[in-house]
Structure formats: structure tokens, C-alpha cells
Amino acid sequence: MTARRIIPCLDVRDGRVVKGVRFENHVDMGDAAELAARYRDQGADELVFYDITASPEGRTLDYGWVRDIARLLDIPFCVAGGIRTVDQAARCLDNGADKVSINSPALERPELIGEMAARLGSQCVVLGVDSRLEDGEWVVHKYTGDPDARRAAGRRTMDWIVEAQSLGAGEIVLNCIDQDGVRAGYDIAQLKVARERLTIPLIASGGAGAASHFLDVFRDADVSGALAASVFHTGALTIPDLKTFLSDAGQEMRL
């Protein structure tokens, strides 16, 4: 069994980490660099940084900021936020990121996935998918970093992740909007359906509130990693305690 990954997620706005509920009503959680160093020291397997207003504002993220984060870390990290071209993605990697995640720009121009995979390698290309249940089926939303700009993307979630895989995405992060920030557990039903359709790694996002939620999603949905934010930012759960719990429950972890 491949070791399961624990991945703190840092939603960044103006250098500060923020967190909302169902992608709305964001509150300040602290300095991005300080939180990154904390999770590095606690034993996170990797980190994800989302510049949440980049796509709605029509810009890309700050490469200097990526470089500053890279100097802090000795674990893999992924960055996202308004990456619309292969050159922009390459500059993120050149400045120290290990992966780049694309979301809304890929919905606007799906061939971007294949272009990035061809030049940078599929292992560097992560597709973020923001999904919610509407009228009995899961559908994709875009521009989710800005509540005023967010809207349905006109795609069914399961169709989109299969297409993205065929285009060359190396990993899917499935953000379940209805679970986001409520700490009631991951959307196991949606994640199980997604897992059945993919051969590439699937990362669960949205809903973690207790150690048992991580165990449930690893055991019942067979995801490769679990991403979480507020449960770590608030100190409600620490990574060492979580990994010990999961290891004791029979999950392969990097301790």
C-alpha cells in the first residue's frame, strides 16, 4: 500500500491565510509563511497554497512569494491561482514549487492540461475541481475564490475528471463545496464515485473535522491523500496525533 498523504491547505489572500465555510465568509487565520513552517515541522506530507482571488481578478500568483515559500520548506508543495499558460506554470516550478494546480483556467481551455503535461510532466499537473450536488447530480463550479464571481461551469463533475485524466492531469483534488469548512466529514459518496472512474491519484478536500473523518475517507473512498484547512489552522487537530491515530488504525503513513 502506498502511504496516505496528509496535506494542509492554505487559502491565501494578500499574504494571509483565510478560511471560510462553503467558500464564503472568509476569516483571517494567520501568516502564510508562519503556518507553512508550522506544518513542515509537524510532519505534513506536502502543502497546497491557493491564491484564492487570482482567477476572479484575472491575474496570476506572485512568483517571488512562491520563491520565499520554497526557501522555507523541505517538503513538496503545490501552488494555484490564475495559472493560465504553460510559461506561468513553468515559472512556478522554476521558483521552487513541486506542482501547479489549475482549476478555472482549465475549464475555460481544457487543452491547457495537455500542454502543461507535455512540457512539465503529468506528475507536476494537478487539477482542482470544485463540485457540489445540484438537482441530483454533481456539477463543477468555477471562480470559487470570490463569492460574487462563483458560478456553475456547465460541466458534470464525473465527466470532467475523466476528461482531465485523459488530457494528462497527474492528480485530481476534488473539493466538495457542500462539506467545505463545516467539519462534518468528507463527502464519501462523491469521492467513491470519483475514485472508481480514475486511475490517477485522487485527493479528498472539504469537511475534515476529526481524526475519524480522515480514517473514513482513506478506508471507504480509497483516496491517496486528504486535504484539510481549518481543523489544522485552529489547532483542533495536530498532524502528529492524526498520523499516529491513522497508523494505529492500519493505514500506511509516513511518520
Side-chain angles (χ1 to χ4, degrees):
M1 179 192 296
T2 302
R4 311 288 193 176
R5 287 179 275 156
I6 302 298
I7 309 170
C9 172
L10 296 90
D11 291 340
V12 180
R13 184 172 60 195
D14 299 325
R16 303 289 294 179
V17 175
V18 297
K19 190 69 187 84
V21 176
R22 299 190 176 103
F23 295 6
E24 297 180 353
N25 302 316
H26 292 95
V27 297
D28 188 279
M29 304 300 294
D31 179 77
E34 291 177 2
L35 285 171
R38 178 200 301 175
Y39 299 139
R40 172 202 64 199
D41 294 343
Q42 286 188 356
D45 294 300
E46 56 188 81
L47 298 177
V48 176
F49 297 87
Y50 291 111
D51 184 332
I52 62 171
T53 58
S55 280
E57 293 176 357
R59 60 175 177 82
T60 193
L61 44 74
D62 183 334
Y63 304 118
W65 177 80
V66 175
R67 185 170 59 251
D68 291 343
I69 292 294
R71 289 171 177 155
L72 283 174
L73 299 178
D74 56 3
I75 58 175
F77 75 100
C78 177
V79 296
I83 299 170
R84 297 179 177 276
T85 69
V86 178
D87 285 344
Q88 289 173 342
R91 288 190 68 182
C92 291
L93 301 182
D94 289 343
N95 281 284
D98 298 276
K99 303 176 186 178
V100 291
S101 179
I102 53 176
N103 188 327
S104 300
L107 288 161
E108 296 165 3
R109 200 171 69 84
E111 55 266 33
L112 176 62
I113 298 171
E115 292 167 2
M116 289 173 55
R119 178 168 163 187
L120 308 175
S122 290
Q123 76 281 358
C124 297
V125 182
V126 179
L127 181 74
V129 180
D130 298 324
S131 174
R132 73 181 313 169
L133 188 65
E134 295 181 2
D135 298 325
E137 64 181 6
W138 293 297
V139 298
V140 181
H141 280 237
K142 60 183 179 179
Y143 303 137
T144 54
D146 182 347
D148 296 325
R150 189 179 92 188
R151 60 182 183 269
R155 287 180 175 269
R156 293 185 296 184
T157 300
M158 300 308 155
D159 293 342
W160 176 226
I161 64 173
V162 170
E163 180 181 350
Q165 177 177 257
S166 70
L167 289 169
E171 186 168 276
I172 303 288
V173 175
L174 183 54
N175 306 302
C176 303
I177 295 174
D178 291 325
Q179 305 301 111
D180 180 76
V182 301
R183 301 196 197 181
Y186 292 95
D187 188 340
I188 301 295
Q190 184 173 184
L191 290 159
K192 282 182 68 174
V193 174
R195 178 68 277 165
E196 291 167 357
R197 284 160 171 73
L198 296 173
T199 58
I200 59 177
L202 174 65
I203 308 299
S205 175
S212 61
H213 296 155
F214 291 84
L215 179 59
D216 291 342
V217 79
F218 287 140
R219 183 184 57 203
D220 298 337
D222 194 28
V223 296
S224 300
L227 185 151
S230 58
V231 70
F232 295 138
H233 299 339
T234 61
L237 192 60
T238 69
I239 294 170
D241 288 345
L242 172 60
K243 285 192 167 187
T244 297
F245 168 81
L246 293 169
S247 181
D248 289 346
Q251 298 297 313
E252 183 72 23
M253 308 300 300
R254 299 182 185 90
L255 298 175

